[in-house]
């Protein structure tokens, strides 16, 4: 017999890509990190309480007649069917503090939290590899052909080096700050990825040159992130700016992104670039800790609808335990 509790709880976090978005779809590595400041919490319970599903943030899993399903819904259905546990519907509610469609991994984080909540509900052991696989099932729906960088980063305990579908932790030696600024414009990952694919396919020679250049920048970025001198921070800033130029060449920057990148650099940032799929979404800027407030203010002045600042120091620390949901599990919700 399957042990169940009344309610299952799961968590995950937003992510930001430092280097390698888009080119990772075409075989380069990428560097990303979770953002514990932007959490997602999911609650799963058996049965239905008659609330109105809205696809992404509230859905009823474990049913056969589901029609069009969101990424998180697909991820949970994949888990339930693999485990063979759902003898009836399972209601999932996701409380997401991550702005949607801004390149911060909201779809993967919602899916990760939802699958963790359902595993908790059914007392099912869930290892990271299985969780990644379920989240990826959802990401394929949300993004078309997802590289896996989002699924890996939202489940990670710190910065990761992602390559060919697997990830490893990355060392952080820098003492700097990263300011994330929201352009306020929603971007479509599927649309941006399709545009880049078409662009690369149009000129194979230029594509190879650009992807080699991207791979060199990403490798340099990992080395610079691990370094502890001021020179490493300055070099990482330059690497970010060079990567932004490649992304602009790929057609995923916008006037809104360009304005924020320039504003950050004019305010003293060491580097700035879009993060995620682009065509809207967010910009990240690397700054000295003492300059972070000024860069953040400049980004807002230039039109950012909100900003968040994280220290590279906080990237070293693992986020609060993602797997240990026990303290909350018996709370009546
Ligand atoms: O969905 P986003 O904005 O977090 O971007 C995902 C990163 C891409 O490289 C653009 C797509 C992918 O699957 O790697």
């Amino acid at each position: 017999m399957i042990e169940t509790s009344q309610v299952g709880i799961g968590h995950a976090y937003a992510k930001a890509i430092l280097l390698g978005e888009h080119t990772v779809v075409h075989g380069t590595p990428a560097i990303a990190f979770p953002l514990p400041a932007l959490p997602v919490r999911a609650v799963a319970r058996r049965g239905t309480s008659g609330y109105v599903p809205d696809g992404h943030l509230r859905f009823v899993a474990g049913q056969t007649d589901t029609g069009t399903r969101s990424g998180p819904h697909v991820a949970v259905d994949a888990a339930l069917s693999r485990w063979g546990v759902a003898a009836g519907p399972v209601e999932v509610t996701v409380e997401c503090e991550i702005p949607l469609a801004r390149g911060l991994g909201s779809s993967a984080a919602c899916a990760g939290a939802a699958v963790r909540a359902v595993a908790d509900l059914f007392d099912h052991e869930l290892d990271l590899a299985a969780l990644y696989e379920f989240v990826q099932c959802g990401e394929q729906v949300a993004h078309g052909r997802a590289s896996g960088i989002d699924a890996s980063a939202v489940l990670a305990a710190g910065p990761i080096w992602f390559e060919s579908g697997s990830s490893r932790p990355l060392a952080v030696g820098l003492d700097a700050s990263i300011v994330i600024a929201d352009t306020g414009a929603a971007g479509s990952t599927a649309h941006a990825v399709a545009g880049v694919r078409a662009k690369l396919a149009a000129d194979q020679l230029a594509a190879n040159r650009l992807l080699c250049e991207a791979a060199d920048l990403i490798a340099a970025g990992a080395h610079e992130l691990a370094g502890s001198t001021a020179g490493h921070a300055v070099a990482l800033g330059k690497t970010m700016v060079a990567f932004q130029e490649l992304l602009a060449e790929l057609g995923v920057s916008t006037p809104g992104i360009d304005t924020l990148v320039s504003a950050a650099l004019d305010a003293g940032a060491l580097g700035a670039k879009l993060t995620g799929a682009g065509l809207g979404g967010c910009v990240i800027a690397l700054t000295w800790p003492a300059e972070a407030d000024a860069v953040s203010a400049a980004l807002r002045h230039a039109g950012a609808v909100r900003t968040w600042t994280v220290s590279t120091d906080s990237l070293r620390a693992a986020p609060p335990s993602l797997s240990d949901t026990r303290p909350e599990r018996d709370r009546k919700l």
Side-chain angles (χ1 to χ4, degrees):
M1 210 183 92
I2 295 152
E3 277 279 307
T4 62
S5 47
Q6 278 189 306
V7 162
I9 310 285
H11 297 94
Y13 300 113
K15 67 91 189 82
I17 298 177
L18 182 65
L19 293 165
E21 51 275 272
H22 285 294
T23 59
V24 68
V25 176
H26 302 276
T28 74
I31 299 172
F33 52 90
L35 288 169
L38 292 175
V40 179
R41 177 176 178 272
V43 179
R45 60 189 105 211
R46 292 158 72 84
T48 53
S49 57
Y51 64 175
V52 184
D54 83 347
H56 195 70
L57 299 179
R58 275 199 311 267
F59 53 89
V60 179
Q63 296 183 310
T64 45
D65 58 335
T66 44
T68 307
R69 295 172 301 165
S70 65
H73 191 164
V74 167
V76 168
D77 275 349
L80 290 176
S81 110
R82 173 80 61 84
W83 303 336
V85 289
V90 176
E91 247 181 35
V92 181
T93 311
V94 183
E95 297 154 13
C96 179
E97 290 187 28
I98 310 169
L100 306 183
R102 296 297 202 282
L104 297 178
S106 59
S107 60
C110 288
V115 173
R116 279 180 162 137
V118 173
D120 187 40
L121 179 68
F122 289 100
D123 257 337
H124 196 91
E125 282 292 325
L126 184 59
D127 64 36
L128 205 55
L131 180 54
Y132 170 81
E133 204 189 307
F134 297 135
V135 172
Q136 267 297 83
C137 290
E139 286 296 278
Q140 304 301 358
V141 170
H143 289 184
R145 242 181 66 199
S147 66
I149 179 82
D150 283 17
S152 290
V154 301
L155 303 173
I160 55 164
W161 174 269
F162 178 88
E163 188 164 13
S164 310
S166 54
S167 63
R168 62 174 167 81
L170 262 191
V172 179
L174 287 191
D175 181 17
S177 293
I178 295 172
V179 182
I180 298 146
D182 184 353
T183 61
S188 156
T189 301
H191 183 208
V193 167
V196 168
R197 186 178 303 286
K199 190 112 191 167
L200 291 175
D203 185 343
Q204 203 62 54
L205 218 59
N208 287 344
R209 192 245 333 134
L210 188 144
L211 292 173
C212 285
E213 211 175 303
D216 288 347
L217 290 172
I218 297 157
H223 170 75
E224 291 150 4
L225 185 66
S228 56
T229 68
H232 286 110
V234 170
L236 180 57
K238 289 192 173 132
T239 300
M240 290 167 70
V241 170
F243 208 89
Q244 168 65 20
E245 280 162 18
L246 291 191
L247 291 167
E249 207 177 320
L250 287 172
V252 290
S253 198
T254 61
I257 291 169
D258 295 344
T259 300
L260 293 191
V261 167
S262 299
L265 296 174
D266 290 348
L270 301 167
K273 61 180 277 293
L274 68 86
T275 185
L279 296 182
C282 289
V283 161
I284 53 171
L286 183 75
T287 80
W288 299 120
E291 312 279 335
D293 285 349
V295 168
S296 175
L299 283 162
R300 283 172 186 263
H301 187 70
V305 294
R306 58 202 137 182
T307 57
W308 303 268
T309 300
V310 293
S311 66
T312 49
D313 202 35
S314 74
L315 300 183
R316 271 189 285 269
S321 172
L322 288 164
S323 53
D324 183 10
T325 56
R326 292 301 181 270
E328 275 198 84
R329 66 175 312 162
D330 294 318
R331 196 189 287 171
K332 298 283 176 288
L333 294 158

